Amino acid sequence: MRSMSSGATAPAGTVRRPGDRYPSRMAAEPSITPRLDPVVHGQADDGPLSAAELAFFDQNGYLDFQSLLPPQELQPCLAELDRLRADESIRTAPEAVIEPDSHALRSIFAVHQRQSALAALCAHPRLVAIARQLLGSDVYIHQSRINYKGGFQGREFYWHSDFETWHVEDGMPAMRAVSCSVSLTPNTPHNGPLMLVPGSHRHFVACVGETPQDHYKASLRRQEVGVPDEASLAQLIGDFGLVAPIGPAGSVTFFDCNVMHGSNSNITSAPRSNVFTVYNSVDNRLEAPFCGLQPRPNFIAEREDFRPASSIVEARRSA
Amino acid sequence: MRSMSSGATAPAGTVRRPGDRYPSRMAAEPSITPRLDPVVHGQADDGPLSAAELAFFDQNGYLDFQSLLPPQELQPCLAELDRLRADESIRTAPEAVIEPDSHALRSIFAVHQRQSALAALCAHPRLVAIARQLLGSDVYIHQSRINYKGGFQGREFYWHSDFETWHVEDGMPAMRAVSCSVSLTPNTPHNGPLMLVPGSHRHFVACVGETPQDHYKASLRRQEVGVPDEASLAQLIGDFGLVAPIGPAGSVTFFDCNVMHGSNSNITSAPRSNVFTVYNSVDNRLEAPFCGLQPRPNFIAEREDFRPASSIVEARRSA
């Protein structure tokens, strides 16, 4: 690894907030500093994952399961996705993101807030149980989205640590959140599968560049601020390599909020449609954004509804 | 397959030239018509490929060889590529193509015209011998290029048949040319390897959209005319699937001029740098472009130098 700096020096015009343990977008140069939080917060006794699985996640920052969910459970989600894609009004909703080079649908956020099959998937008891165990507490849904990545038109998602953005732009204080990607369609080597740098979650890459107001409106299409520098990426990939879990529909990948990840474009005819749910510990609720700007909207970063994800399902079932 | 139309109806303002057996960009709707030329023009007795290899190429439209060339033969080419990348004057040369979203180098054309290691590679006796056998005649170099596809910044090459463009914009009369891709760097599943639709070379996909003047200046960065429609692509990929040959540096893929191919972007740190040489039969020299416009420059489509590729090497060796 490159020598690690112990922090960033703020140039004039930027202020590091007291208690900001992961300053980013403040210094003139990028830096890589060690992670200051545990990776696995729970115990093997707490839930479905074995001690070996917890150790794998601790070391690599991800865990993937082939065919964790049976295809018939996903059928209603695919049908809902088809309805959403066919609904022109969705495309102008704030929750929808359109591809940068075309009018193709790229993402829809906050799918867990719909009374729907996708919402039920986000709060699926098997997924929530794993998140609870990894984070060692009750969890709420910080964010959910479907990344459609359609055939022919699906563009890349450049390398990023989710936590960098969630910390700077949303005020997430600590690395105690986990993402869960459920594949609704097969993820093949060719249709732009999720790629991860295993082990990168133990290092925080501070980025360069001040956050503009309303940054999310552009960054969700193509990110240009909060982007790790190529030298840091080359170092992480050189040290750790990369993995790209593939599998049939129903495969599931959990990954730490700070693992470096991204995906290539998809010119094949087969969409790579994955539902991402971000579970955050109820003990890691958002504060004011560390960049000093207004928070992003709730449909990107939940700031009000901290009900445990498990209780959402129970409430719906008893309703 | 969809029902095949026997030809395109020209709308007002476009004229199908007599002798144009593959009209494209003339009709209002795309069409798929059968190939009218043989795929393999030579015999097993003619050269290095076995009857089984010729049959494979005939059926699939490509042949790939793991480690056909030893890495030490490629070292001078890599060194030359590094020099070219470091040379700012190259980037403003007409032969250079820059990525659409950045200032990164995408391609350099006519590398065979440099007195260099890359030129020697384009005329490599082992490669020329295979091309001669496939095309059943002497061959000349119609085009050569290096597609750098650098780490982080390498963008996709969308699906296309080379022949469609070479016919319409360059006046190549028949399907009697073959491309050869030599990997200077490892081609992995993750760094945007060449993808091919095996069997698609037996079908000609006529595209929609009139060719603009000086089209190549934009199309080499990101093509928007001469692009196959999604329905035709979905049909071909659905019928034939796709393959993505990977391998270490020195791997070689030959593919027919009409096979549908493309590649995804490359956000990994590892460049995917391949040298492409297009060998055309000396009996298939260019005519006037079938679109009726001025020909593209010689560095994209050779119109003057029809010396057999093998003789170029001999001339250099004896010089």
Side-chain angles (χ1 to χ4, degrees):
Chain A
M1 303 292 295
R2 267 193 302 177
S3 66
M4 292 174 175
S5 63
S6 60
T9 308
T14 64
V15 179
R16 177 172 170 178
R17 198 168 90 198
D20 181 357
R21 298 181 306 144
Y22 296 107
S24 184
R25 310 188 197 178
M26 292 185 182
E29 297 293 330
S31 63
I32 302 182
T33 54
R35 180 189 184 109
L36 303 173
D37 296 296
V39 178
V40 172
H41 300 253
Q43 311 295 328
D45 295 344
D46 293 347
L49 299 181
S50 67
E53 287 171 323
L54 291 180
F56 185 94
F57 188 91
D58 190 54
Q59 183 176 346
N60 296 288
Y62 79 98
L63 257 182
D64 73 303
F65 303 89
Q66 295 276 312
S67 309
L68 186 72
L69 301 177
Q72 60 269 29
E73 280 197 43
L74 302 176
Q75 213 47 55
C77 294
L78 274 170
E80 185 177 340
L81 175 58
D82 284 345
R83 279 199 303 277
L84 289 169
R85 284 185 56 222
D87 182 351
E88 275 297 319
S89 70
I90 292 289
R91 303 162 65 86
T92 55
E95 293 85 357
V97 183
I98 306 301
E99 291 284 7
D101 300 323
S102 66
H103 298 292
L105 183 67
R106 179 170 168 87
S107 305
I108 303 174
F109 277 77
V111 292
H112 70 286
Q113 289 171 354
R114 299 171 184 273
Q115 286 288 347
S116 67
L118 287 170
L121 181 65
C122 295
H124 194 293
R126 292 186 70 181
L127 306 181
V128 172
I130 292 172
R132 283 170 52 97
Q133 186 181 12
L134 288 170
L135 301 182
S137 70
D138 263 337
V139 300
Y140 70 94
I141 296 177
H142 165 71
Q143 180 190 91
S144 72
R145 65 189 184 279
I146 183 154
N147 285 354
Y148 173 57
K149 195 175 266 202
F152 307 116
Q153 303 279 356
R155 288 293 172 270
E156 59 266 20
F157 290 82
Y158 195 68
W159 296 110
H160 62 286
S161 148
D162 289 322
F163 179 78
E164 195 274 345
T165 292
W166 298 343
H167 180 70
V168 171
E169 298 193 25
D170 299 331
M172 183 180 283
M175 294 180 185
R176 196 173 175 183
V178 64
S179 284
C180 170
S181 167
V182 177
S183 55
L184 297 188
T185 62
N187 282 220
T188 77
H190 308 312
N191 67 355
L194 178 69
M195 299 191 291
L196 308 131
V197 182
S200 61
H201 63 303
R202 293 189 167 278
H203 306 277
F204 181 68
V205 179
C207 303
V208 169
E210 201 178 340
T211 312
Q213 188 76 48
D214 283 341
H215 179 225
Y216 72 95
K217 292 180 184 173
S219 68
L220 299 179
R221 302 182 76 186
R222 183 186 284 142
Q223 189 153 356
E224 291 179 359
V225 173
V227 174
D229 64 295
E230 293 186 2
S232 296
L233 288 171
Q235 181 179 343
L236 292 172
I237 297 173
D239 286 351
F240 298 121
L242 56 84
V243 294
I246 57 174
S251 300
V252 174
T253 304
F254 280 86
F255 56 100
D256 178 80
C257 60
N258 188 48
V259 78
M260 198 62 76
H261 64 287
S263 62
N264 277 315
S265 59
N266 175 23
I267 68 165
T268 78
S269 52
R272 189 229 66 171
S273 302
N274 291 11
V275 176
F276 291 79
T277 310
V278 182
Y279 304 102
N280 191 23
S281 167
V282 293
D283 298 326
N284 193 38
R285 299 176 192 192
L286 302 190
E287 304 175 2
F290 285 88
C291 61
L293 297 177
Q294 287 296 308
R296 300 196 295 177
N298 261 28
F299 66 81
I300 301 177
E302 184 58 56
R303 313 187 75 85
E304 291 171 5
D305 182 356
F306 305 113
R307 282 178 298 166
S310 51
S311 72
I312 298 174
V313 179
E314 286 153 18
R316 287 217 176 99
R317 283 193 179 146
S318 61
Chain B
M1 302 294 296
R2 267 193 299 177
S3 66
M4 291 174 176
S5 63
S6 61
T9 308
T14 64
V15 179
R16 178 173 170 179
R17 199 168 88 198
D20 180 357
R21 298 181 305 142
Y22 297 106
S24 183
R25 312 187 197 178
M26 291 185 181
E29 298 293 330
S31 64
I32 303 182
T33 54
R35 179 188 184 110
L36 303 174
D37 297 297
V39 178
V40 172
H41 300 253
Q43 310 296 328
D45 295 343
D46 294 346
L49 299 181
S50 67
E53 287 170 323
L54 291 180
F56 185 94
F57 188 89
D58 190 53
Q59 182 176 347
N60 296 287
Y62 79 98
L63 256 181
D64 72 302
F65 303 89
Q66 295 277 310
S67 308
L68 186 73
L69 301 177
Q72 61 268 27
E73 280 199 41
L74 302 176
Q75 213 47 56
C77 294
L78 273 170
E80 184 177 342
L81 176 58
D82 284 344
R83 279 198 304 278
L84 290 169
R85 283 185 56 223
D87 182 351
E88 275 298 319
S89 69
I90 292 288
R91 304 164 64 85
T92 55
E95 293 85 357
V97 183
I98 307 301
E99 291 285 6
D101 300 323
S102 67
H103 299 291
L105 183 66
R106 178 172 170 86
S107 305
I108 302 174
F109 276 78
V111 293
H112 70 286
Q113 288 171 354
R114 299 171 182 274
Q115 285 288 347
S116 66
L118 287 171
L121 181 65
C122 294
H124 194 292
R126 293 187 70 181
L127 306 181
V128 172
I130 292 173
R132 284 169 52 98
Q133 187 181 13
L134 289 171
L135 302 182
S137 69
D138 263 339
V139 300
Y140 69 95
I141 297 178
H142 165 71
Q143 181 190 92
S144 72
R145 64 189 186 280
I146 183 154
N147 284 353
Y148 174 55
K149 195 174 266 202
F152 307 117
Q153 304 278 356
R155 288 293 171 269
E156 58 266 20
F157 290 82
Y158 194 68
W159 296 111
H160 62 286
S161 148
D162 290 322
F163 179 78
E164 195 275 342
T165 291
W166 298 343
H167 180 71
V168 172
E169 299 193 25
D170 299 331
M172 184 179 283
M175 294 180 184
R176 196 173 175 184
V178 64
S179 284
C180 170
S181 167
V182 178
S183 55
L184 297 188
T185 62
N187 281 219
T188 76
H190 308 311
N191 67 356
L194 178 68
M195 299 190 291
L196 308 130
V197 182
S200 61
H201 62 304
R202 294 188 168 280
H203 306 276
F204 180 67
V205 180
C207 303
V208 170
E210 201 179 341
T211 313
Q213 188 76 48
D214 283 341
H215 180 225
Y216 72 93
K217 291 180 183 173
S219 69
L220 299 179
R221 302 182 76 186
R222 183 187 283 143
Q223 189 153 356
E224 292 178 359
V225 173
V227 174
D229 63 295
E230 293 186 2
S232 296
L233 288 171
Q235 180 180 342
L236 291 172
I237 298 173
D239 286 351
F240 298 122
L242 55 85
V243 295
I246 58 174
S251 300
V252 174
T253 303
F254 280 86
F255 56 100
D256 179 80
C257 60
N258 188 48
V259 78
M260 198 62 75
H261 64 288
S263 63
N264 276 316
S265 59
N266 175 22
I267 67 165
T268 78
S269 52
R272 188 229 66 172
S273 301
N274 290 13
V275 176
F276 290 79
T277 309
V278 182
Y279 304 101
N280 191 22
S281 167
V282 294
D283 299 326
N284 193 37
R285 298 177 194 192
L286 302 190
E287 305 175 359
F290 286 86
C291 62
L293 297 178
Q294 287 296 306
R296 301 196 295 177
N298 261 27
F299 65 81
I300 301 178
E302 185 58 56
R303 313 187 75 83
E304 292 170 6
D305 181 357
F306 305 113
R307 280 179 298 166
S310 51
S311 72
I312 298 175
V313 179
E314 287 152 18
R316 287 220 176 96
R317 283 195 178 144
S318 61

